[in-house]
Amino acid sequence: MKKKIAIVGAGPCGISVLINLLKNLSNSDISIFDINQNFCKGNSFRVDSDSLLLNTTVDTTSVFYEDRLHFFKWLNSKKDIPKKYKLKSAFVPRNLASKYLFETLNEYLLKSSEKNNNVRIFDFFLFKYDAKHTFIDTSMNEYLFKYVILCTGHTSSSINMKCKLGELSNNDGYIENSFLNINGKIHKNDNVLIIGSNLSAIDTMLLLNESKHQGKICILSKSGSLPSVRSDMGGDYKPKYLGLEGFKSETISVNHLKRLFFKELLLLTTKEDVKSYFLISKDPKIQLETDILNCIYSKNKWQVLVFSMLEILTNYWFKFSTADRILIKNKYKKIIDRFISSMPLENALLLKDYLNNGRLEITKSSHENVYYSNSKKGFLIKNKNVVYNKIIDSSPINIENKDFSSLLNSMLEIGVVKTNINRLNSLDIDNKFFKCRNDFDANSNIDTPIVYAIGPTLRNNLIVSNFFLESSRQANIITNHISTS
Ligand SMILES: Cc1cc2nc3c(=O)[nH]c(=O)nc-3n(C[C@H](O)[C@H](O)[C@H](O)COP(=O)(O)OP(=O)(O)OC[C@H]3O[C@@H](n4cnc5c(N)ncnc54)[C@H](O)[C@@H]3O)c2cc1C
């Protein structure tokens, strides 16, 4: 009998899984669900602009975990792709990554009958799971599956995201979508207030620049920090103290780790630099400049350093005591968060130009200090005079306010998955699969499905540093699991 598999979501993760299944599995019947416009693009790769770059280099972006240079080889096989994108160290437009996914998928779809695999692509959302183990799509069709792989991304951003900005959103000029395409929504001379300072805020800046927008822009940042800066330089720096190979022992203390981290830092720069670099509360403009200089002169070694640290934390997470874990979360999380959510140097230089010519301001504040003035017909920040006629919500989704997507909600209710939604609003997979409850509905003839979840998620409660590679790693594991079960 054919293995009946559903992939929910056709963003980068869902497509990675589908390609890996087609490559390694035989005798399967796979259904993939998503709205057409997101196919191979998902939420954040949807806008077709050359300004929006992948934040990982070509040699660390691949749909096959075991073949890291697959994307590099694909780029080099294309005549119409500019030379500058054909380097291992290049940051390429995200739309090239979607094209890569699309073409690689087609290659495997063409060969699918050779392995007796059958694929059905649905332009629907799956929206409900019921007690008879039936999945229901938005056109009320019903399906039964043996395996279900949830690749729903930042789960509620695409489905009924509850507005976080409250009253502000009731006014003209409010723009909700953080994965936005600004075409037609913002006029040349609009003053634009962007709430949030993470990657989608940077995307908005880049799109405004591309559209020849002339008005003022303000990025309102709660933390006062921008994503860190990545360049294509220094990728081969090998940490002297912080390499994973140095950590063979069963136990590790957080103090030991801290000592090694600073030893490694001091190899790269001076004590004073280290101090100033990690003062998170400093002026975002100075921070951006420091980031750019560090990126150029220390050739991005800081990034490598933080990633090494992250790798150690991820590998050793369960070996730290509870107290140490809390310490790590409180102390290092902010640093790690900022480094992981990073923008390529090219984008940072553009932001710097905007800051220097007074077109862009970065204000450390929160949306609670923003109000709408009827008389001025626009949004203002308390104690400031500039009137913004457009406000864009690029803030992270607030967990307390979130709506669960209805599919996950019904799966949670019935108990087929037990999971958390983390603060990035994606599924917290906690490094192991979600299996169905064995004792569930013991009298039923229909098996409960085996459910997996992958995506831009916190693994072991730590942030994944390279979403692309991590999803192909997980796709690989799931494929092996299904093919041997
Ligand atoms: C602005 C921004 C920039 C980013 N840049 C990068 C980058 O440069 N490099 C990088 O590696 N990562 C980047 N990321 C992280 C990014 O989230 C992931 O790389 C990637 O998009 C995750 O893919 P995904 O398929 O898990 O999720 P998504 O892209 O969110 O896709 C999930 C899909 O599931 C669908 N879906 C949800 N629920 C259902 C349902 N019930 N039924 C059917 N379909 C459903 C949605 O429609 C969506 O298409 C960025 C994120 C943001 C916000």
Side-chain angles (χ1 to χ4, degrees):
M1 221 169 75
K2 284 194 166 192
K3 286 183 169 153
K4 287 196 78 156
I5 305 168
I7 301 173
V8 188
C13 277
I15 298 297
S16 263
V17 174
L18 180 54
I19 295 171
N20 276 277
L21 287 175
L22 289 174
K23 186 178 177 208
N24 298 309
L25 213 64
S26 48
N27 222 12
S28 69
D29 193 346
I30 310 170
S31 304
I32 182 161
F33 296 84
D34 206 334
I35 40 173
N36 255 342
Q37 63 164 5
N38 281 12
F39 196 76
C40 292
K41 297 175 179 170
N43 284 315
S44 43
F45 293 12
R46 195 165 56 196
V47 181
D48 194 14
S49 152
D50 286 348
S51 307
L52 309 187
L53 304 178
L54 265 185
N55 63 8
T56 48
T57 47
V58 166
D59 58 348
T60 57
T61 307
S62 169
V63 81
F64 299 118
Y65 191 67
E66 69 285 3
D67 181 4
R68 303 279 170 101
L69 293 183
H70 190 260
F71 185 40
F72 170 73
K73 288 181 265 183
W74 179 85
L75 287 164
N76 279 280
S77 70
K78 300 281 152 201
K79 285 209 174 77
D80 55 338
I81 290 179
K83 257 191 172 160
K84 62 176 178 177
Y85 296 143
K86 293 185 171 176
L87 305 171
K88 287 183 186 165
S89 56
F91 292 95
V92 304
R94 295 210 288 270
N95 57 26
L96 277 183
S98 330
K99 202 168 165 208
Y100 159 66
L101 289 170
F102 184 76
E103 287 195 6
T104 311
L105 174 61
N106 272 331
E107 187 190 324
Y108 282 91
L109 281 175
L110 283 174
K111 293 189 280 197
S112 59
S113 57
E114 289 168 18
K115 293 187 157 203
N116 201 19
N117 290 320
N118 184 30
V119 178
R120 287 181 296 167
I121 298 170
F122 293 89
D123 179 15
F124 293 129
F125 262 32
L126 278 188
F127 94 103
K128 206 173 164 216
Y129 176 75
D130 71 16
K132 287 182 278 168
H133 317 297
T134 310
F135 287 87
I136 301 161
D137 71 21
T138 38
S139 293
M140 302 312 282
N141 301 309
E142 298 188 351
Y143 311 83
L144 285 173
F145 299 108
K146 175 71 191 154
Y147 304 92
V148 175
I149 307 159
L150 298 174
C151 304
T152 48
H154 299 281
T155 50
S156 58
S157 57
S158 50
I159 320 154
N160 294 331
M161 188 172 102
K162 209 167 189 170
C163 174
K164 182 179 159 195
L165 298 190
E167 285 294 298
L168 289 176
S169 63
N170 298 331
N171 299 295
D172 277 352
Y174 168 81
I175 300 173
E176 173 201 36
N177 193 353
S178 52
F179 305 98
L180 107 158
N181 190 344
I182 57 169
N183 277 347
K185 291 183 187 157
I186 292 174
H187 303 296
K188 205 172 155 197
N189 294 318
D190 279 344
N191 287 343
V192 180
L193 178 59
I194 303 171
I195 310 286
S197 57
N198 224 309
L199 289 179
S200 43
I202 305 301
D203 271 14
T204 307
M205 265 299 304
L206 299 171
L207 292 174
L208 285 170
N209 176 60
E210 203 178 76
S211 72
K212 310 263 183 294
H213 169 260
Q214 296 295 319
K216 280 186 182 299
I217 305 170
C218 176
I219 292 182
L220 201 75
S221 166
K222 212 170 186 171
S223 64
S225 65
L226 291 171
S228 69
V229 183
R230 270 193 212 192
S231 78
D232 57 1
M233 296 179 282
D236 51 4
Y237 169 68
K238 222 172 162 349
K240 183 172 173 193
Y241 300 102
L242 273 179
L244 247 192
E245 60 282 2
F247 292 85
K248 294 271 156 56
S249 71
E250 268 306 293
T251 53
I252 178 170
S253 90
V254 75
N255 277 334
H256 180 54
L257 187 62
K258 197 167 99 186
R259 270 196 303 277
L260 295 181
F261 182 65
F262 279 97
K263 261 174 135 175
E264 192 79 52
L265 271 183
L266 290 176
L267 266 189
L268 300 179
T269 181
T270 67
K271 221 169 197 161
E272 280 316 300
D273 270 354
V274 173
K275 265 197 215 153
S276 67
Y277 201 73
F278 287 106
L279 272 182
I280 304 277
S281 61
K282 81 182 149 203
D283 177 350
K285 188 174 171 202
I286 299 173
Q287 179 213 50
L288 183 74
E289 275 167 5
T290 320
D291 264 9
I292 291 173
L293 289 177
N294 271 312
C295 201
I296 294 170
Y297 293 115
S298 67
K299 298 194 171 173
N300 226 21
K301 289 175 183 169
W302 298 66
Q303 196 96 40
V304 178
L305 197 63
V306 173
F307 284 171
S308 316
M309 172 103 162
L310 181 70
E311 216 179 342
I312 292 163
L313 291 180
T314 310
N315 276 281
Y316 280 80
W317 189 245
F318 291 108
K319 292 180 183 170
F320 289 113
S321 67
T322 312
D324 272 355
R325 281 187 220 162
I326 293 169
L327 196 78
I328 292 168
K329 275 190 197 164
N330 292 342
K331 266 200 158 168
Y332 301 113
K333 199 71 187 265
K334 258 195 165 164
I335 297 173
I336 289 172
D337 276 7
R338 205 173 80 74
F339 271 85
I340 280 166
S341 165
S342 58
M343 59 181 148
L345 179 61
E346 199 179 318
N347 295 163
L349 291 173
L350 181 93
L351 250 72
K352 191 177 162 222
D353 279 352
Y354 267 79
L355 282 164
N356 287 345
N357 66 26
R359 293 263 316 282
L360 170 68
E361 207 186 306
I362 301 169
T363 302
K364 187 177 173 190
S365 184
S366 108
H367 69 275
E368 280 142 19
N369 294 322
V370 177
Y371 63 97
Y372 185 80
S373 159
N374 280 322
S375 56
K376 294 184 175 154
K377 291 206 168 22
F379 302 87
L380 284 98
I381 305 169
K382 268 183 203 156
N383 305 324
K384 302 225 173 191
N385 297 325
V386 183
V387 180
Y388 298 94
N389 45 330
K390 292 283 156 58
I391 186 169
I392 300 177
D393 184 0
S394 279
S395 59
I397 300 145
N398 191 340
I399 291 305
E400 288 85 55
N401 284 345
K402 77 180 182 306
D403 274 344
F404 282 83
S405 79
S406 46
L407 175 68
L408 286 176
N409 220 6
S410 56
M411 291 176 86
L412 283 165
E413 231 168 67
I414 291 176
V416 74
V417 287
K418 283 183 231 154
T419 178
N420 299 314
I421 305 287
N422 59 43
R423 66 186 179 75
L424 284 185
N425 215 32
S426 50
L427 296 170
D428 206 342
I429 58 160
D430 222 2
N431 215 15
K432 54 180 182 279
F433 305 132
F434 299 125
K435 289 260 183 74
C436 56
R437 260 173 39 191
N438 290 335
D439 58 349
F440 184 73
D441 207 1
N443 296 326
S444 163
N445 292 327
I446 309 158
D447 282 343
T448 49
I450 296 176
V451 182
Y452 310 94
I454 71 172
T457 180
L458 299 181
R459 187 152 58 92
N460 292 345
N461 232 349
L462 282 168
I463 288 192
V464 170
S465 58
N466 177 336
F467 290 110
F468 220 101
L469 216 52
E470 180 58 17
S471 54
S472 35
R473 191 186 74 84
Q474 293 179 35
N476 201 3
I477 297 174
I478 290 176
T479 306
N480 288 336
H481 193 256
I482 295 182
S483 63
T484 53
S485 70

